[in-house]
Amino acid sequence: MFVCLCTGATTQAVNDAVAAGATTSKQIADACGAGSDCGRCRRTLRAMLAASRECPVHSGV
């Protein structure tokens, strides 16, 4: 599923960035581009980060 329509970043790309150590939406933007353009997806990025913190074993949510 697409998370960021501006850059075409998918949930897999965001999950990969989080798995590689991204802990902020800025770090995700740097890693895969999601949230780097208009910013409308940043709420979704923060929710994905929160979910990965709640269940670190399954960070590929």
Side-chain angles (χ1 to χ4, degrees), residues 1-57:
M1 181 167 108
F2 287 101
V3 173
C4 178
L5 296 177
C6 296
T7 64
T10 63
T11 53
Q12 185 62 52
V14 173
N15 287 332
D16 289 347
V18 172
T23 58
T24 66
S25 59
K26 171 78 169 101
Q27 290 174 340
I28 291 172
D30 291 343
C32 68
S36 63
D37 197 0
C38 79
R40 292 194 71 176
C41 61
R42 289 203 178 175
R43 180 182 297 177
T44 302
L45 299 178
R46 288 189 297 269
M48 292 174 76
L49 282 166
S52 73
R53 287 185 203 114
E54 291 172 9
C55 189
V57 173

